[in-house]
Amino acid sequence: MRFGRITSDSSDSGDAPGPPVVTGSSDSSDSSSSGFPRPLLITLVAGVVGLATLAAVLAARPFAPDTEIRGLPDSGTFNAETVSTVDLSVHGTRLDGAEITLNGEPVETRTAGDGLALDLPELSDGRYELRITHGGSNPFTSRNVEKAFEVHTSPPGLSVDPAEAAGPTGSVTITGTAPGAAELSVAGQAAPLGPDGSFQVPVADPGMRVEVAATDEAGNTATESIDIAVRRPLMRAAHLSAIGWTSDGLREPILELVREGKLTAVQLDIKDESGEIGYDSQVPLAREIGAVKGHYDARQAIKEIQEAGGEVIGRIVAFRDPVLAKASWESGDRDRVAQTSDGQPYGGSTNYGALSFTNFAHPEVRQYHIDLAAEAAELGFDDILYDYIRRPDGKLSAQVFPGLGDRTPEESIVDFTADTRAVVREHGAFLGVSVYGIAATRPTEIGQDIPGLAEHADYIAPMIYPSHWAAGEYGVSSPNTQPYDITHRSLADFAKITEGTHVEIVPWLQDFSMGVSYGAKEVSEQIRGAADNGMESFLLWNAGARYHGEALPSIE
């Protein structure tokens, strides 16, 4: 048997179709070969044709096939940088009456240009599904447009270990972990990550600080900045003035202590308490104010000390500077000078003289000393050691420092120290700061914040001379006759307040007599008091540069 087909009856007189008829079979039975009655078969076929026609019509209707969601990140994830600026909008035809939901909850919309802007709630971390439904709930007329996205704002973990370089210009290896990170940057350069998120990255020229950044797949970044510690090797030095260097009788005994291995360095003055510069400095302001004296050839002196087996510590007396103070006052640059409340030069309560102290807060005064430090480091001085890096003694209420503003003297001096170290470190030199012994417990008396300075100096040199302590300090009844006790107890305070920092304590020890005759025994007692605090380095002071070498232990 042949299957029937639906046709239209055509009249001889015209083309108008008639009712459908079934043709093809010569069998006149009322049932088809399939077993269905012909009327039922015709109905089924017509139903199939009707559904196909309806599907074609539905497919042809414009159920917003051009709907576009704008503002989603290409990665499908909003990170910490982008989540606060989410700006989603829907564009296309037939948006009137569309239902828009986020994770099943209705979203408020407003007209924006040719589309609808979505007013989303605050998005916390998680997965979201945005759905736009056109045409209501009728399954034959509705259409959904769906987009999924994520919000991930938590940065990866990042932990960087403390790092210590071999020297001011030495290399360093940065180590740590960054779990969850996909990318790592160390000192501005891409660096590898281990499977467990660990890293070990050598940095050839780290400078004073290294920035580490870890970024996850979503683009969230964790950063950490670490200071590079540079531990000053053992230093045992003796003070020598610029003029003292020109005397064979003073210079040679000190160099001999270096050759014998009892001293590792010579502390040679660059600029002293008088404001005079010992070598032929080329710093413009120094030459302009007549500070340059040229007592010694810097390069030659450095060479001679190094040939003896020692290093050179260049001492710069900073803010006690009569030469700069006098020149500034006379030239009308009076803001360079520390002043009284009525605008006169401030000389301090211990009668240094009216034009003795410059203004540590003045940019030109600060730059003058930074320039001297940079020049000396470039010449080959191994260390720059500031002295008188403080405000004048006396009541702060009686002192005026133009330009200080609402900052404290301590804050200003700490910043100056940081600025200097950034410069001298570039030339491979260490930076030390000499401080009063009382600064450990009374920092505001002279503007020396020890914990603050510890963050920006390689070492701190407390002047804990026994003759300078009052009776009863640290429970010592007679400090000048008890050099071990006062040295040990005062330095314990410096060790305590700098604990956890990279700074070292290198004390100034007394090798001169004041009130009590000092010899090898008294010097040895101070060395022992420092060593019992774990401080093996020290500086010896004698203004006349004559030292008790027999008190110095040989360096192994």
Side-chain angles (χ1 to χ4, degrees), residues 19 85 119-120 147-148 156 166 195 204 214 220 252 285 291 296 316 348 425 535:
T85 59
D119 292 329
L120 300 179
K147 285 285 186 179
N220 298 298
E252 285 305 319
L285 183 56
Y296 63 88
I316 298 177
R425 182 68 66 84
M535 302 167 190

Side-chain angles (χ1 to χ4, degrees), residues 368-379:
Y368 175 46
H369 293 94
I370 291 173
D371 289 346
L372 286 173
E375 179 185 63
E378 190 172 7
L379 283 169

Side-chain angles (χ1 to χ4, degrees), residues 26 95 135 258 404:
S26 58
L95 292 177
V258 174
L404 180 61

Side-chain angles (χ1 to χ4, degrees), residues 413-464:
I413 289 167
V414 165
D415 287 346
F416 167 71
T417 303
D419 292 343
T420 302
R421 188 168 72 162
V423 172
V424 301
R425 182 68 66 84
E426 293 177 3
H427 298 291
F430 293 96
L431 178 66
V433 291
S434 299
V435 300
Y436 270 21
I438 62 170
T441 55
R442 285 160 276 179
T444 60
E445 285 198 16
I446 31 77
Q448 292 179 332
D449 173 16
I450 302 304
L453 292 170
E455 296 294 329
H456 302 291
D458 295 307
Y459 58 95
I460 291 174
M463 297 176 285
I464 44 84

Side-chain angles (χ1 to χ4, degrees), residues 306-325:
Q306 291 177 342
E307 286 177 347
E311 297 175 310
V312 193
I313 316 300
R315 174 174 170 258
I316 298 177
V317 175
F319 304 122
R320 180 183 172 186
D321 192 332
V323 173
L324 179 59

Side-chain angles (χ1 to χ4, degrees), residues 53 127 131 145 232 273 293 334 356 442 465 472 477:
T53 303
R127 181 177 176 81
R131 174 177 294 183
V145 176
R232 181 66 171 82
E273 293 87 343
K293 298 304 175 183
R334 297 187 172 185
S356 294
R442 285 160 276 179
Y465 311 131
S477 59

Side-chain angles (χ1 to χ4, degrees), residues 242-276:
I243 293 177
W245 177 262
T246 67
S247 168
D248 292 344
L250 298 178
R251 181 184 70 252
E252 285 305 319
I254 293 176
L255 290 177
E256 188 57 32
L257 290 174
V258 174
R259 296 185 188 102
E260 292 174 358
K262 291 188 172 184
L263 293 177
T264 68
V266 176
Q267 182 269 285
L268 182 59
D269 279 357
I270 293 172
K271 180 164 76 77
D272 62 18
E273 293 87 343
S274 70
E276 295 180 351

